[in-house]
Amino acid sequence: MRKKRLGEVLRDRKRVSDEVLEQALAEQQKNAGLLGEMLLERGLVAKEDLVSALEEVTHFRYVDARYATVERAVLKLVPKAAALRYGVLPLIREGKRIVAVMAEPQNLHVLDELRFLTGMDISPRLGFKSEITEAVEKCYADEQGEPVTAAAEQMPFIEQVDVSDMQFFTASSSERNKAAMSEFEAELRNEKTPAVRLVSAILYAAATKKASDVHIEPQALGTVVRIRVDGVLRELTHIPAELTSFLVSRIKILADMDISERRVPQDGRFLVQIGASPLDLRISTLPTHEGEKVVMRLLDPAATRVGFEKLGLSAELSQSLLSMLTAPQGMLLVTGPTGSGKSTTLYAALNQLRSPSVNIITVEDPIEFRVEDVNQVQINPKQGLTFATTLRSILRQDPNIIMVGEIRDQETAEIALQASQTGHLVLSTLHTNDSIAAITRLLDLGVPAFLIAASLTGVVAQRLVRKLCKCRDEIAITPEHVSRLLAAGIVDFGSTTFVPVGCSDCDNSGYKGRVGIYELLTMDEQIRSAVRGGVRDEEVRNMARSGGMRLMQEDALEKVKNGITTLEEVLRVVPFDNAMGVRCRNCGKALAPSFLFCPYCGAGTRQSAQGPRSLARAGAQGGAA
């Protein structure tokens, strides 16, 4: 089978059109450069899309050379002139081989030259030449400068990150942990230990890139550090095997974990302040075959102190949500998969509600953010403190508002719903695909239909998509883009579309930050009656659509049209299969199956043409309309 080339992979993935590819190939032949580098420089493809395609073509993992860990001893094996000439940055030595980032990792001539030059085997990683050149200049400049410290002798990477304005704080009350934290900060200032500096450098780089998680993953010949930025994992750096245990131990000391225990998972936390920005770090360790894997979650308290509109809710949805939150009683559910921003929405709601005159109590697992004027309870199943038992106790604490981190079982669901009927406002989350499915989920848990109908006020369903960076570009819509829109069931679109470009501000990915995609189900009397009568998803959805509910998919497409995100990003996150239902034959807008006339253009639907007797049958066959 013939091996695909980069241009073919990008074209097959609909990342570049045939016309753009032909122009780029013609320019490449004139300038004799690398096609990928040229496409990136011209803003014709997003960095993430290019990296993914290059990894498929070359079968090498991408590493950003600017943030790679580098051993100084390895730099001495490859002179700077050779590094610049071949577009290579040697990283670390692993036994009888050298791990190196290369602009052309598949170039056999360059690999042979490096083997001859170093006398060792080469384990290539993929990198962009511009990034490699920048890293080479930084790392080799230290070789010719002043004498370096012991930490820098091991890893020039840590010198690239200024950690002078970082402060660490313990979340533990133990004197032992406070003393360990003081010792860590003293060593950081004196720059004695590479592991201490490396912890700080990793956290600083992750915070600068607005990462939500840091993964430290031990492998057979070293350790890979990856960060999750806007929901997507990226490789940050590579750590020598001999430093891994020291690095993990330092993190465990900061998080007040048992450093002698490596056979069972552990959890901990500590605080760090970078400049004026505080971060709360949740640490989790997991024993693997190659060693302890560590995941650090970076929580920014400022993320919860935002209004609904900044989260991505429209003015209309924000107003509807606020009216539900100001009701004296009822239950509001927020649904979506893990990582869809449910907790952020709940905390934003709590910030809207908190007041000296209101008693708010939460029960969470774990407590993600500390909220002023809110009483927060951490569950502890080992001590018998579950969601259900804590809820019973909370009801005796004279609360006005109760927030339950997640409804997981029938007992918790019933207590929460009953509390919402007795003068309390209850907020909670569920794991469902959309707002309507939350009702089915509660029924499946064994909650009586009459209790759901009487207690539930509304359901917010949401997803998170990446936002286009300010470097976005508006281009004429291409035939390929039109076909993708039509395949998704979208017929209402303009003549232009916004595409990611890439700049230094977004790390050349074309995206920066994330925004929510929402739908809000309001429980009116018609829907309450349907739920009491045992009506399930599809009929409830039709009633909600008839009442004006805007689907999550429609909210997503509106954000695409406004240039907030892209269709590719929406299709990656939001399910479109049969979600849009019936469409107007005249203007193409999504309609509820019960509509006789299109509210957008006034055209009659197939139901109106068939007459009232056929309405029920037409509603059931709405997908054909």
Side-chain angles (χ1 to χ4, degrees):
M1 182 178 176
R2 187 177 70 85
K3 184 179 176 182
K4 280 191 175 182
R5 298 190 176 189
L6 175 63
E8 293 174 320
V9 172
L10 289 170
R11 183 184 59 199
D12 292 347
R13 294 183 178 186
K14 311 292 186 186
R15 296 300 180 259
V16 295
S17 63
D18 289 331
E19 183 183 353
V20 168
L21 182 58
E22 286 176 12
Q23 292 175 355
L25 288 171
E27 188 175 345
Q28 183 200 15
Q29 288 179 348
K30 291 180 183 178
N31 301 329
L34 296 173
L35 177 63
E37 297 264 1
M38 192 182 64
L39 289 170
L40 192 62
E41 287 173 6
R42 305 284 189 282
L44 299 173
V45 66
K47 182 180 178 180
E48 270 186 11
D49 294 333
L50 179 59
V51 166
S52 177
L54 282 169
E55 287 182 333
E56 179 182 330
V57 170
T58 64
H59 300 290
F60 292 109
R61 193 170 65 241
Y62 165 75
V63 172
D64 190 334
R66 298 169 299 175
Y67 291 94
T69 303
V70 183
E71 287 181 335
R72 187 170 298 279
V74 178
L75 293 177
K76 295 174 182 177
L77 297 175
V78 181
K80 180 180 179 181
L84 291 172
R85 181 167 69 252
Y86 296 130
V88 59
L89 176 68
L91 301 181
I92 63 172
R93 178 174 176 172
E94 295 179 340
K96 295 183 178 180
R97 69 175 186 172
I98 293 174
V99 177
V101 186
M102 301 175 61
E104 297 181 83
Q106 73 277 29
N107 190 319
L108 298 179
H109 172 70
V110 173
L111 288 170
D112 287 340
E113 288 290 330
L114 290 172
R115 290 191 192 101
F116 178 78
L117 188 64
T118 61
M120 304 182 73
D121 286 334
I122 306 298
S123 177
R125 300 290 187 271
L126 171 68
F128 293 118
K129 193 166 186 178
S130 57
E131 296 172 352
I132 292 171
T133 301
E134 182 181 339
V136 165
E137 293 293 347
K138 282 183 180 179
C139 293
Y140 281 88
D142 295 333
E143 284 286 295
Q144 302 161 1
E146 296 295 321
V148 293
T149 63
E153 183 64 36
Q154 288 292 323
M155 294 174 301
F157 161 69
I158 62 179
E159 290 190 328
Q160 300 176 35
V161 180
D162 180 15
V163 296
S164 60
D165 59 349
M166 292 183 70
Q167 287 183 284
F168 291 81
F169 304 92
T170 180
S172 170
S173 58
S174 73
E175 291 300 322
R176 177 180 61 83
N177 191 246
K178 290 178 182 177
M181 188 69 76
S182 299
E183 181 185 346
F184 179 90
E185 286 218 309
E187 289 187 1
L188 177 60
R189 301 293 168 253
N190 296 329
E191 301 184 358
K192 288 180 179 177
T193 312
V196 172
R197 292 274 291 166
L198 188 55
V199 171
S200 305
I202 289 171
L203 290 177
Y204 189 94
T208 302
K209 289 176 174 285
K210 303 293 183 184
S212 61
D213 301 89
V214 177
H215 292 239
I216 299 173
E217 303 171 346
Q219 297 181 354
L221 296 170
T223 296
V224 174
V225 179
R226 299 195 292 169
I227 58 175
R228 189 178 295 279
V229 181
D230 295 335
V232 179
L233 274 174
R234 304 177 185 173
E235 192 164 306
L236 177 69
T237 189
H238 200 280
I239 299 169
E242 60 268 21
L243 281 177
T244 302
S245 60
F246 296 107
L247 174 67
V248 173
S249 294
R250 284 294 175 179
I251 293 171
K252 291 171 75 173
I253 288 170
L254 291 173
D256 197 22
M257 296 179 184
D258 185 353
I259 62 171
S260 64
E261 181 56 79
R262 301 179 180 178
R263 296 165 298 176
V264 296
Q266 295 188 65
D267 295 298
R269 61 185 287 255
F270 63 90
L271 310 171
V272 63
Q273 183 160 325
I274 303 174
S277 304
L279 287 176
D280 190 348
L281 278 82
R282 303 301 164 86
I283 316 301
S284 171
T285 66
L286 180 71
T288 69
H289 179 66
E290 301 295 347
E292 282 186 287
K293 181 181 186 294
V294 179
V295 173
M296 297 186 283
R297 170 151 289 187
L298 283 65
L299 300 171
D300 183 2
T304 64
R305 296 192 292 269
V306 294
F308 289 141
E309 292 191 21
K310 281 197 173 181
L311 293 178
L313 282 106
S314 64
E316 184 182 352
L317 275 184
S318 296
Q319 193 57 46
S320 299
L321 196 54
L322 283 171
S323 66
M324 290 182 187
L325 293 172
T326 52
Q329 66 183 57
M331 173 181 267
L332 176 68
L333 289 176
V334 182
T335 75
T338 301
S340 60
K342 300 187 297 297
S343 296
T344 302
T345 301
L346 282 182
Y347 280 111
L350 290 180
N351 272 296
Q352 295 274 355
L353 295 168
R354 65 191 179 96
S355 160
S357 61
V358 176
N359 180 21
I360 303 176
I361 305 179
T362 74
V363 49
E364 305 171 60
D365 181 29
I367 297 172
E368 292 195 29
F369 297 99
R370 308 287 183 180
V371 184
E372 192 177 349
D373 299 326
V374 173
N375 305 287
Q376 296 174 270
V377 181
Q378 165 76 56
I379 73 161
N380 187 352
K382 290 182 180 178
Q383 302 299 321
L385 198 63
T386 63
F387 279 115
T389 57
T390 306
L391 264 176
R392 287 195 181 93
S393 299
I394 285 175
L395 291 173
R396 294 191 288 272
Q397 290 286 317
D398 187 31
N400 298 104
I401 299 164
I402 301 170
M403 194 267 271
V404 184
E406 183 184 346
I407 291 178
R408 299 175 180 173
D409 53 55
Q410 179 182 358
E411 188 179 11
T412 305
E414 289 187 349
I415 296 170
L417 286 163
Q418 286 165 0
S420 70
Q421 285 187 296
T422 55
H424 306 93
L425 177 63
V426 181
L427 312 178
S428 191
T429 69
L430 272 179
H431 289 277
T432 62
N433 287 331
D434 58 25
S435 58
I436 308 297
I439 297 172
T440 303
R441 173 69 175 147
L442 291 172
L443 290 169
D444 290 342
L445 284 174
V447 180
F450 73 87
L451 186 57
I452 299 171
S455 308
L456 195 60
T457 306
V459 183
V460 178
Q462 66 179 79
R463 297 289 191 279
L464 287 178
V465 294
R466 292 180 296 169
K467 292 193 296 183
L468 281 168
C469 179
K470 62 184 179 184
C471 62
R472 68 180 188 177
D473 190 21
E474 187 174 10
I475 62 170
I477 196 165
T478 62
E480 289 88 353
H481 197 76
V482 170
S483 64
R484 297 191 75 188
L485 288 165
L486 294 173
I490 305 159
V491 295
D492 180 26
F493 49 84
S495 59
T496 62
T497 186
F498 291 91
V499 294
V501 176
C503 64
S504 58
D505 212 26
C506 62
D507 202 18
N508 286 318
S509 67
Y511 298 93
K512 187 173 183 182
R514 289 191 287 179
V515 68
I517 303 294
Y518 299 92
E519 72 179 27
L520 175 61
L521 169 67
T522 302
M523 296 288 289
D524 58 23
E525 282 308 313
Q526 185 184 15
I527 294 176
R528 291 185 196 277
S529 298
V531 173
R532 287 192 196 96
V535 172
R536 287 288 179 122
D537 286 13
E538 206 52 49
E539 291 180 65
V540 174
R541 182 176 286 104
N542 293 341
M543 290 177 189
R545 295 283 290 124
S546 299
M549 184 183 84
R550 195 179 187 211
L551 292 178
M552 189 192 312
Q553 290 78 5
E554 293 175 287
D555 187 38
L557 294 176
E558 186 68 26
K559 288 180 168 68
V560 171
K561 196 178 294 184
N562 293 335
I564 297 171
T565 187
T566 62
L567 178 65
E568 290 77 14
E569 183 65 11
V570 165
L571 293 176
R572 181 180 71 86
V573 174
V574 183
F576 268 79
D577 297 339
N578 301 320
M580 303 298 283
V582 181
R583 291 186 172 278
C584 173
R585 291 175 293 173
N586 183 48
C587 69
K589 294 279 189 180
L591 308 175
S594 58
F595 281 5
L596 295 176
F597 296 93
C598 174
Y600 303 100
C601 68
T605 64
R606 182 174 298 179
Q607 289 92 317
S608 62
Q610 292 172 331
R613 290 185 180 179
S614 303
L615 181 58
R617 188 175 71 253
Q621 299 173 345

